[in-house]
């Protein structure tokens, strides 16, 4: 995702960016270093003056870079939870981050435009984290 983001922010089409990303190894011998490097490049491009007002090509169509940034925040936060669960760690997001990402999900098209199906397992007293996971198809059990 970081590599794709950097390429479309630099003006490549979504198809060209995806082809370039898929044609090269993603993690290499040092996955953490690869993530740190690609995160820094992505952050630098998102911080360029005026970039958030520009349009970028995306599989969902043309988006403002600002909207694309919110989608990247969603993607990275949610997949950090996925990874934490996969390696047996606590995936609890900071409550403020969980609220922010939940707001992103609530303000996007249902399923974030990618067909993500909510579980429907959480009740009215669910935390932002529980609601976020539920809306994003991470069915971790019913909550009060």
């Amino acid at each position: 995702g970081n590599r794709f983001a950097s390429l479309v922010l630099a003006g490549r089409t979504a198809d060209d960016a995806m082809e370039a990303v898929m044609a090269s190894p993603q993690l290499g011998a040092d996955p953490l270093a690869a993530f740190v490097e690609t995160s820094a490049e992505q952050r630098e491009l998102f911080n360029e003056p005026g970039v958030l007002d520009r349009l970028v090509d995306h599989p969902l169509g043309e988006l403002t870079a600002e909207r694309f940034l919110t989608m990247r925040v969603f993607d990275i936060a949610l997949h950090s939870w996925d990874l934490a669960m996969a390696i047996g760690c606590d995936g609890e997001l900071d409550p403020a981050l969980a609220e922010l990402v939940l707001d992103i999900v609530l303000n996007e098209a249902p399923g974030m435009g990618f067909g993500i199906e909510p579980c429907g397992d959480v009740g009215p007293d669910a935390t932002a984290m529980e609601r976020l996971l539920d809306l994003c198809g991470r069915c971790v059990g019913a909550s009060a």
Side-chain angles (χ1 to χ4, degrees):
N2 293 346
R3 285 186 172 99
F4 174 83
S6 293
L7 291 170
V8 297
L9 287 168
R12 302 271 293 264
T13 67
D15 288 342
D16 287 347
M18 189 60 72
E19 187 176 315
V21 168
M22 299 310 288
S24 62
Q26 295 307 302
L27 299 176
D30 189 348
L32 180 58
F35 181 76
V36 169
E37 177 186 326
T38 59
S39 295
E41 181 179 353
Q42 177 183 225
R43 184 175 50 252
E44 184 177 313
L45 289 164
F46 271 121
N47 278 308
E48 287 181 356
V51 73
L52 296 181
D53 296 324
R54 286 196 341 234
L55 294 176
V56 296
D57 194 37
H58 188 274
L60 295 177
E62 264 192 347
L63 309 174
T64 64
E66 181 175 21
R67 181 173 175 211
F68 184 44
L69 175 59
T70 65
M71 294 175 84
R72 291 298 302 139
V73 170
F74 158 79
D75 194 54
I76 292 168
L78 190 63
H79 290 317
S80 71
W81 181 87
D82 292 333
L83 181 59
M85 295 298 97
I87 63 173
C89 292
D90 173 12
E92 194 70 25
L93 298 177
D94 177 274
L97 177 59
E99 287 279 350
L100 175 76
V101 177
L102 176 60
D103 190 53
I104 291 169
V105 172
L106 292 172
N107 286 299
E108 275 293 330
M112 292 295 292
F114 294 107
I116 300 168
E117 292 289 330
C119 302
D121 293 339
V122 298
D125 296 331
T127 66
M129 182 79 187
E130 292 166 337
R131 291 178 61 209
L132 173 64
L133 293 174
D134 186 84
L135 285 171
C136 295
R138 276 43 177 196
C139 305
V140 295
S143 301

